[in-house]
């Protein structure tokens, strides 16, 4: 369990849970995908805030967010808030799990499915937070959450670009795309020539065999 | 051990807020208070706590670790907010018992459970926490939220809860407690004795009942004292979690 006040964490989780479930109800595809995960529990430790949270998919299907859970989890992930924001907004969560600072214990399958469902739905963070905490505080917290996700998306794009530049320019670890395309075209051309030559050789060998039998 | 001294006094009296009353009289006086506030109990809880009581209860439910098929007893369950949540968690195979000594509170709770669709796996029972009318070793989890301080003999109630719990079963006591910061304690005192009765007068037209609520909170054992009482009753692995700076604490104990 975290060292934070459980009531404070509970307030934040209640708002997030309501926003998520509202969005899931309005997204039939996500609804169907989550049905397959009912009963699954995931744990996450956000090192930036020294915070441990749990997600459980319950009948509905709905997402239940918890500050405390004693039941076994299918997967447990640890990372910074930036890592989790990148994971939440990524088109390729498996790659983020491998390449980011996230540590994973257990199976990644249910985590990836949940990430894909959540990344596709449009979550209105503001409405439940305003309902729970009032206009001023609710709006400010919703803005902060949106900022974290914008940062996560920006960080993902920036990381992809920087990684690409490093592999191509700094590390010279991989040739540029055009050079690779040219290389693959040349390989294909050679392959076709070899194939044609094989056919010609086969044809010549057949002719030679016919001549020998004719003599 | 302030509470022990209060309840074990030889003169046969106990506290009712800051007043000493006969032990027999306390139950009637508490009943009068809750008869008076029952219809507006939830509204007042929201106003008095700024809605935070929902998060205190949410954490208590998380701590319960209740699973489908289990039996949960919610003592002093009043208007049934915890019972409604437990009803979903235990599912159709499980059972939730909403118990309260006060008929008016139970009536509000039963109506609300029906309104929220929590039916089929919930029983409503008028019961005294000191003499629970259930079989030994029959309950997986017991919760008592903001109820223990109103019980005349808390030690007797804890022993009764231990009796009906299954071995390995869990008791959760959610109750007002002692703020950990002296500054917060002073602010809280001002709020409890000035603002709270005024709110009771304006909204529920009943300042006296809300003054009793504030006084009973101060008379309730603090975190460590209640932990000791649970150990004396026979609970093991007991611990507590402070919430909102110790204004509220949830105590947890198990039956060996």
């Amino acid at each position: 369990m975290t060292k934070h006040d459980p009531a404070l964490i509970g307030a934040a989780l209640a708002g997030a849970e309501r926003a998520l479930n509202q969005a899931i109800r309005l997204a039939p595809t996500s609804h169907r995908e989550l049905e397959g995960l009912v009963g699954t529990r995931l744990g996450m430790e956000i090192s930036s805030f020294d915070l441990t949270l749990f997600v459980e998919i319950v009948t509905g299907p709905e997402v239940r967010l918890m500050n405390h859970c004693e039941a076994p989890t299918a997967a447990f992930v640890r990372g910074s808030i930036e890592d989790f924001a990148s994971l939440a907004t990524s088109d390729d969560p498996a790659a983020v799990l491998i390449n980011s600072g996230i540590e994973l214990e257990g199976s990644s399958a249910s985590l990836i499915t949940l990430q894909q469902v959540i990344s596709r739905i449009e979550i209105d963070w503001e409405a439940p937070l305003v309902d729970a905490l009032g206009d001023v505080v609710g709006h400010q917290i919703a803005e902060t959450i949106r900022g974290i996700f914008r940062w996560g998306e920006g960080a993902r794009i920036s990381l992809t670009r920087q990684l690409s530049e490093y592999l191509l320019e700094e590390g010279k670890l991989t040739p540029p795309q055009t050079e690779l395309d040219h290389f693959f075209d040349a390989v294909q051309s050679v392959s076709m020539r070899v194939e044609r030559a094989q056919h010609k050789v086969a044809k010549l060998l057949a002719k030679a065999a016919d001549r020998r039998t004719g003599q | 051990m302030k509470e022990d001294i209060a309840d074990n006094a030889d003169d046969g009296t106990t506290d009712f807020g800051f007043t000493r009353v006969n032990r027999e009289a306390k139950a009637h006086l508490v009943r009068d208070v809750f008869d008076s506030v029952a219809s507006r109990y939830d509204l007042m809880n929201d106003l008095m706590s700024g809605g935070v009581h929902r998060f205190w209860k949410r954490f208590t439910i998380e701590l319960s670790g209740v699973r489908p098929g289990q039996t949960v007893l919610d003592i002093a369950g009043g208007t049934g907010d915890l019972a409604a949540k437990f009803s979903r968690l235990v599912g159709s195979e499980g059972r939730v018992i909403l118990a309260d000594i006060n008929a008016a509170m139970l009536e509000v709770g039963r109506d609300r459970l029906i309104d929220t669709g929590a039916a089929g796996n919930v029983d409503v029972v008028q019961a005294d926490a000191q003499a629970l009318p259930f079989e030994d070793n029959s309950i997986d989890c017991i919760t008592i939220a903001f109820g223990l301080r109103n019980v005349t003999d808390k030690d007797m109630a804890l022993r009764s809860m231990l009796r009906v719990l299954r071995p390995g079963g869990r008791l959760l006591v959610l109750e007002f407690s002692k703020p950990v910061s002296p500054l917060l304690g002073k602010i809280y005192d001002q709020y409890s004795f000035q603002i709270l009765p005024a709110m009771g007068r304006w909204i529920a037209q009943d300042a006296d009942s809300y003054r009793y609520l504030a006084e009973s909170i101060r008379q309730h054992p603090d975190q460590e004292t209640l932990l000791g009482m649970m150990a004396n009753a026979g609970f093991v692995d007991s611990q507590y979690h402070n919430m909102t700076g110790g204004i509220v604490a949830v105590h947890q104990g198990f039956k060996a």
Side-chain angles (χ1 to χ4, degrees):
Chain A
M1 187 159 24
T2 61
K3 297 176 186 73
H4 305 283
D5 192 312
L8 203 62
I9 303 299
L13 293 183
E17 187 180 275
R18 200 168 153 193
L20 276 167
N21 287 327
Q22 212 160 28
I24 288 164
R25 271 194 293 277
L26 298 171
T29 316
S30 305
H31 204 269
R32 278 194 297 276
E33 282 173 326
L34 277 183
E35 269 173 357
L37 290 178
V38 168
T40 305
R41 278 176 295 271
L42 305 168
M44 58 182 79
E45 188 182 313
I46 305 171
S47 54
S48 324
F49 302 137
D50 194 14
L51 185 65
T52 305
L53 304 173
F54 297 89
V55 183
E56 184 179 15
I57 313 300
V58 295
T59 311
E62 286 188 347
V63 170
R64 184 180 175 209
L65 302 178
M66 294 171 284
N67 185 19
H68 176 88
C69 177
E70 291 168 13
T73 54
F76 193 92
V77 281
R78 285 185 196 84
S80 65
I81 186 68
E82 294 86 358
D83 290 330
F84 282 109
S86 297
L87 179 66
T89 53
S90 173
D91 296 329
D92 188 356
V96 176
L97 284 175
I98 294 164
N99 297 320
S100 71
I102 288 181
E103 288 174 40
L104 169 71
E105 279 173 30
S107 159
S108 62
S110 46
L111 178 68
I112 289 171
T113 308
L114 183 64
Q115 186 279 343
Q116 285 169 339
V117 169
I118 290 173
S119 67
R120 274 200 301 271
I121 54 179
E122 289 285 330
I123 300 167
D124 177 10
W125 295 109
E126 189 150 345
L129 287 169
V130 165
D131 283 350
L133 304 165
D135 289 337
V136 178
V137 179
H139 175 70
Q140 289 304 321
I141 293 175
E143 270 298 294
T144 307
I145 293 171
R146 279 194 285 265
I148 289 169
F149 277 92
R150 275 197 297 271
W151 189 92
E153 179 64 8
R156 183 180 68 80
I157 293 166
S158 168
L159 184 69
T160 308
R161 185 172 46 76
Q162 286 176 26
L163 186 66
S164 168
E165 281 176 9
Y166 174 76
L167 290 171
L168 290 169
E169 308 296 335
E170 304 288 331
K172 306 277 186 201
L173 296 171
T174 179
Q177 182 72 39
T178 48
E179 199 177 318
L180 269 178
D181 288 346
H182 182 72
F183 173 72
F184 289 135
D185 286 346
V187 169
Q188 198 173 7
S189 171
V190 169
S191 164
M192 286 170 75
R193 281 186 207 164
V194 169
E195 206 175 324
R196 277 200 294 272
Q198 273 180 328
H199 281 292
K200 277 183 184 172
V201 169
K203 209 172 169 182
L204 288 171
L205 286 172
K207 267 186 186 177
D210 285 348
R211 279 185 190 168
R212 275 198 297 274
T213 48
Q215 283 172 358
Chain B
M1 300 289 277
K2 175 175 62 181
E3 192 62 29
D4 287 353
I5 293 163
D7 279 348
N8 293 336
D10 290 330
D11 61 359
T13 64
T14 187
D15 58 271
F16 175 74
F18 290 160
T19 313
R20 299 296 298 180
V21 296
N22 286 330
R23 281 168 163 267
E24 294 74 28
K26 177 168 176 172
H28 296 290
L29 290 166
V30 170
R31 188 188 63 203
D32 290 345
V33 166
F34 283 91
D35 280 347
S36 167
V37 301
S39 61
R40 290 190 174 90
Y41 188 72
D42 285 332
L43 172 68
M44 284 302 294
N45 273 348
D46 274 339
L47 289 170
M48 288 186 309
S49 71
V52 181
H53 74 100
R54 294 164 191 275
F55 308 125
W56 296 332
K57 289 170 183 168
R58 182 187 171 98
F59 183 61
T60 305
I61 290 167
E62 286 178 14
L63 278 181
S64 74
V66 164
R67 298 190 301 278
Q70 290 192 323
T71 302
V72 180
L73 169 62
D74 182 24
I75 302 174
T79 52
D81 42 3
L82 281 178
K85 298 276 190 325
F86 283 128
S87 165
R88 288 189 64 189
L89 290 176
V90 301
S92 56
E93 302 294 308
R95 182 176 170 224
V96 177
I97 305 161
L98 170 64
D100 201 302
I101 197 168
N102 186 283
M105 294 289 284
L106 270 183
E107 201 173 322
V108 175
R110 187 179 51 204
D111 290 348
R112 181 204 261 195
L113 286 170
I114 293 167
D115 291 347
T116 55
N121 62 354
V122 183
D123 296 324
V124 179
V125 177
Q126 188 169 5
D128 183 345
Q130 298 166 127
L132 292 167
F134 306 108
E135 285 179 20
D136 296 3
N137 308 318
S138 60
I139 309 284
D140 294 296
C141 178
I142 297 177
T143 55
I144 178 165
F146 306 114
L148 190 63
R149 72 176 189 278
N150 298 312
V151 175
T152 305
D153 190 333
K154 297 171 184 64
D155 295 311
M156 188 178 172
L158 289 170
R159 287 194 299 273
S160 178
M161 292 174 207
L162 186 75
R163 178 184 63 77
V164 301
L165 267 181
R166 285 198 175 111
R170 183 189 324 237
L171 167 68
L172 291 162
V173 180
L174 177 65
E175 191 52 89
F176 289 102
S177 207
K178 189 179 177 187
V180 287
S181 149
L183 178 63
L184 179 63
K186 281 180 184 165
I187 296 168
Y188 182 48
D189 276 347
Q190 285 299 311
Y191 173 77
S192 301
F193 294 110
Q194 303 301 324
I195 299 171
L196 195 59
M199 284 170 80
R201 187 168 56 245
W202 294 331
I203 296 156
Q205 286 82 48
D206 185 1
D208 290 342
S209 294
Y210 286 90
R211 186 172 297 109
Y212 161 72
L213 292 179
E215 290 177 3
S216 65
I217 290 166
R218 294 307 183 280
Q219 292 297 95
H220 188 67
D222 63 18
Q223 289 90 329
E224 290 297 330
T225 307
L226 181 54
L227 201 64
M229 289 167 70
M230 287 174 69
N232 287 343
F235 286 94
V236 297
D237 296 332
S238 299
Q239 57 174 316
Y240 64 85
H241 303 274
N242 282 328
M243 290 189 275
T244 318
I247 287 176
V248 160
V250 57
H251 284 69
Q252 174 179 246
F254 295 86
K255 181 170 180 175

